[in-house]
Amino acid sequence: MATGRLGVEETLGALNAALGPGTPVWFKETRARHLRARDFLAPRRALQARFGEGQVPERVVHAVAGLQGPGVAPVLRCAPTPAGLALQLQRSAVFERVLGAVEAYATPAAPATPGPRVLLHCPALRAAPCALRLSQLRAVLVADHLARALHAYGVSVRLVPAVRDPHMSTFLQHLLVDWPAASERAATEAVRSRALAEFSPAGDRGTLPPGVLGSVCLKELVEERGRAAGYDPNLDNCLVTEDLLSEMAELQAAVLHWPEVSSLGLAAAPDAGADSCVVVHVVSCEEDFQQQKLDLLWWKLDDQAPLIQKHLVCGPVKVAGAPGTLTAPEYYKLRHAQVYKASALKHSRDLAGDPAWAETFRVLSVATIKFEMLSTAPQSQLLLALADSSISTKGTRSGTFVMYNCARLATLFEGYKHSMERGLYPTFPPVSSLDFSLLRDEGEWLLLFNSVLPFPDLLSQVAALERTATGLHITARTEMVCKFLVRLSMDFSSYYNRVHILGEPRAHLFGQMFARLQLLRAVREVLHTGLAMLGLPPLSHI
């Protein structure tokens, strides 16, 4: 049997190559009604533009039907249809390849070449938690999620600033955000002496605001870096304070003194100079102007400042029916109270005194917040609805719904384990002995083809920062994991509600039961990995 991980991107690449030179035309089907007849389609209109009259040469059809190669899924048939050239895979073979190597599909596809080191800077973490605005909380959660995705992709990542406020550290722990802490400020002597030399003549020092050490002109740098790159044309003078010098000194030290091994065991890049590092400032839209000043000041005062600094600007957060002054801790307390209320109603008893439920309430609260904050593209405006309905397990768009289906999977496998211990079911057989041709339900193919098979590519896309793109601002696709997990949960919920997985303890039914359990093992692995990308542990009850 062929080995190696199958990939959607590899299959699409081979399909497009088989048609000859030209723009890509094949796409993967995702809707259940289309997947009943085909898995990939080259639309008729695109084929007409490629071949004229839409008549694909017979040799090309044969080449597509016999397609093989590393990562390419085995093809069953390829035939012209009114919609275009339709291709269907050998589904039982795909089930066998994928479900025989489940772990391989819960990790991102490896990069072709190692990328540069990435320093993620989130200035919102220098604030006190009681003053943290919702737009700043959004930036913090985006930075944490992006760091996890980059780590999983094999990128060496460093996080700045190290949090000094113990109250902020405690709040981040509540939010399940993994961020370094420190007790001391960075030394500023080196940057202070360079700043003093660059200060503009101030005349009467009394004209400077209290706490300001001096002023540095940035206009020349704005012209040099180019307004076309995205710097605000209104940038002129930067008022330098001790806090600003401390921020710059911490960034400088983080770039120059990169740890040899990260917290996840990843070795730092061998060329550990500043030029091999990309700095990504994850900021709220209100912080972007000030951060641009710090960028330019760093370049002006430090000859070893990284050449590439990018801004990932998170859009504003609007709250429907609530004052704009709602802080991040207040938002967390509100969601926690709503989760507790919903759980008490569901279980018809007060669970506040039960320590076993305390952690569950916290995880559900954080899941609600993270799915709300991260399900929208970070650069877009986010509108929050604070009603209790946002945390219902019935709503298919919420983090609570995803965690509910995570718990259903745990209950399923616990039920199999208990039945096996009672002698109702045999022990799970070797995966190589399973007959995956018994997986004939359309919901089973939907779970494998739309969730398990493309998951490695999705993780890679989340970690793909446009580091080499021109301009100051970059985008990130941090919404993809949340949206994927919601779709996966909807497909699983539909399948689970319709198909009885643990059937009667009869020998002739065990083959299909074990094939289905192996499929749901893969779904569980993918779901748990996706939750880990968000810093969320799986729940076994809810």
Side-chain angles (χ1 to χ4, degrees):
M1 185 185 73
T3 59
R5 182 165 67 181
L6 300 179
V8 173
E9 294 300 322
E10 289 86 346
T11 302
L12 284 171
L15 287 173
N16 284 306
L19 294 183
T23 57
V25 298
W26 287 93
F27 68 88
K28 174 187 173 296
E29 294 286 10
T30 57
R31 296 190 177 185
R33 63 188 180 92
H34 292 149
L35 288 171
R36 292 176 190 135
R38 62 183 183 248
D39 298 315
F40 294 92
L41 179 72
R44 175 171 292 278
R45 183 169 295 182
L47 294 175
Q48 288 174 339
R50 176 73 65 88
F51 295 105
E53 302 301 323
Q55 296 299 316
V56 182
E58 194 67 25
R59 59 177 175 78
V60 174
V61 177
H62 284 306
V64 171
L67 207 60
Q68 293 181 349
V72 177
V75 176
L76 175 63
R77 66 173 67 93
C78 177
T81 69
L85 199 58
L87 180 140
Q88 191 172 53
L89 300 178
Q90 298 177 27
R91 294 187 173 181
S92 61
V94 175
F95 272 121
E96 185 176 354
R97 289 276 299 275
V98 174
L99 299 183
V102 167
E103 293 78 10
Y105 292 87
T107 56
T113 56
R117 299 169 300 142
V118 175
L119 188 147
L120 287 178
H121 173 224
C122 187
L125 288 170
R126 292 189 174 90
C130 59
L132 197 67
R133 300 186 301 273
L134 293 183
S135 57
Q136 292 176 304
L137 173 63
R138 186 185 191 187
V140 170
L141 297 180
V142 166
D144 177 62
H145 176 41
L146 188 55
R148 295 175 192 274
L150 290 168
H151 273 307
Y153 196 51
V155 177
S156 182
V157 181
R158 192 158 190 193
L159 306 177
V160 173
V163 175
R164 293 195 303 273
D165 186 336
H167 299 292
M168 177 62 83
S169 292
T170 301
F171 184 55
L172 294 181
Q173 290 170 10
H174 283 310
L175 291 173
L176 300 173
V177 170
D178 187 14
W179 205 271
S183 57
E184 298 179 357
R185 294 166 65 105
T188 61
E189 289 79 5
V191 291
R192 175 194 282 271
S193 60
R194 182 70 183 267
L196 290 172
E198 294 286 346
F199 281 161
S200 304
D204 181 10
R205 300 288 294 178
T207 60
L208 293 173
V212 174
L213 303 176
S215 174
V216 174
C217 181
L218 301 176
K219 200 165 188 62
E220 182 181 335
L221 260 180
V222 173
E223 297 297 335
E224 178 187 331
R225 297 285 173 182
R227 293 180 183 176
Y231 284 95
D232 194 302
N234 296 312
L235 285 169
D236 190 355
N237 291 321
C238 177
L239 299 179
V240 179
T241 64
E242 284 288 354
D243 286 341
L244 195 62
L245 291 179
S246 179
E247 290 178 34
M248 195 172 69
E250 185 173 13
L251 288 167
Q252 184 184 59
V255 170
L256 295 180
H257 306 294
W258 205 273
E260 292 185 7
V261 179
S262 74
S263 60
L264 295 187
L266 299 171
D271 52 340
D275 290 350
S276 70
C277 176
V278 174
V279 179
V280 178
H281 304 284
V282 186
V283 296
S284 65
C285 51
E286 301 94 340
E287 297 167 320
D288 188 37
F289 185 78
Q290 181 62 26
Q291 187 56 52
Q292 289 185 35
K293 287 186 177 182
L294 180 60
D295 284 12
L296 296 171
L297 185 66
W298 191 5
W299 272 318
K300 193 173 185 71
L301 303 185
D302 183 4
D303 296 332
Q304 299 184 70
L307 295 176
I308 303 178
Q309 294 189 58
K310 299 290 185 180
H311 285 218
L312 176 54
V313 181
C314 297
V317 178
K318 305 294 183 182
V319 181
T325 56
L326 187 71
T327 65
E330 290 169 342
Y331 172 47
Y332 173 81
K333 289 177 181 177
L334 172 67
R335 287 300 187 221
H336 190 277
Q338 289 173 331
V339 164
Y340 167 71
K341 178 182 176 182
S343 297
L345 288 173
K346 179 181 178 181
H347 295 279
S348 302
R349 62 190 179 95
D350 187 351
L351 301 169
D354 190 339
W357 281 92
E359 182 63 11
T360 299
F361 292 154
R362 181 170 77 110
V363 172
L364 286 174
S365 304
V366 174
T368 301
I369 290 169
K370 289 190 174 184
F371 273 81
E372 285 178 328
M373 287 280 179
L374 296 174
S375 292
T376 303
Q379 61 272 17
S380 302
Q381 176 176 298
L382 175 63
L383 180 63
L384 288 181
L386 298 182
D388 289 3
S389 58
S390 299
I391 51 89
S392 171
T393 60
K394 303 298 183 184
T396 57
R397 300 293 177 183
S398 69
T400 310
F401 175 71
V402 174
M403 302 307 290
Y404 169 63
N405 283 285
C406 178
R408 292 171 91 184
L409 272 167
T411 301
L412 171 68
F413 283 98
E414 193 64 25
Y416 164 72
K417 179 183 175 184
H418 287 161
S419 295
M420 183 191 68
E421 291 171 347
R422 290 166 52 202
L424 296 177
Y425 297 142
T427 57
F428 205 94
V431 175
S432 59
S433 70
L434 298 181
D435 182 2
F436 293 110
S437 67
L438 297 172
L439 297 177
R440 304 187 190 99
D441 188 277
E442 69 176 31
E444 291 157 357
W445 181 246
L446 201 67
L447 285 169
L448 185 105
F449 193 60
N450 281 351
S451 298
V452 182
L453 182 62
F455 187 58
D457 291 329
L458 177 133
L459 292 179
S460 302
Q461 291 167 21
V462 175
L465 291 174
E466 299 175 4
R467 309 178 187 101
T468 58
T470 58
L472 173 67
H473 297 99
I474 62 170
T475 59
R477 306 183 71 181
T478 50
E479 76 281 5
M480 292 182 71
V481 170
C482 285
K483 289 184 174 180
F484 171 86
L485 293 177
V486 167
R487 286 195 301 268
L488 168 60
S489 298
M490 291 173 67
D491 289 341
F492 165 71
S493 182
S494 175
Y495 175 70
Y496 188 79
N497 290 338
R498 184 170 46 82
V499 177
H500 194 50
I501 309 298
L502 300 179
E504 295 183 23
R506 299 172 184 257
H508 70 283
L509 299 177
F510 290 154
Q512 187 178 57
M513 182 188 75
F514 285 130
R516 286 173 169 171
L517 284 173
Q518 183 64 12
L519 169 63
L520 295 183
R521 276 183 173 175
V523 170
R524 180 181 62 177
E525 196 72 23
V526 165
L527 179 57
H528 288 188
T529 301
L531 291 174
M533 292 295 104
L534 301 170
L536 295 171
L539 292 179
S540 58
H541 64 276
I542 189 173

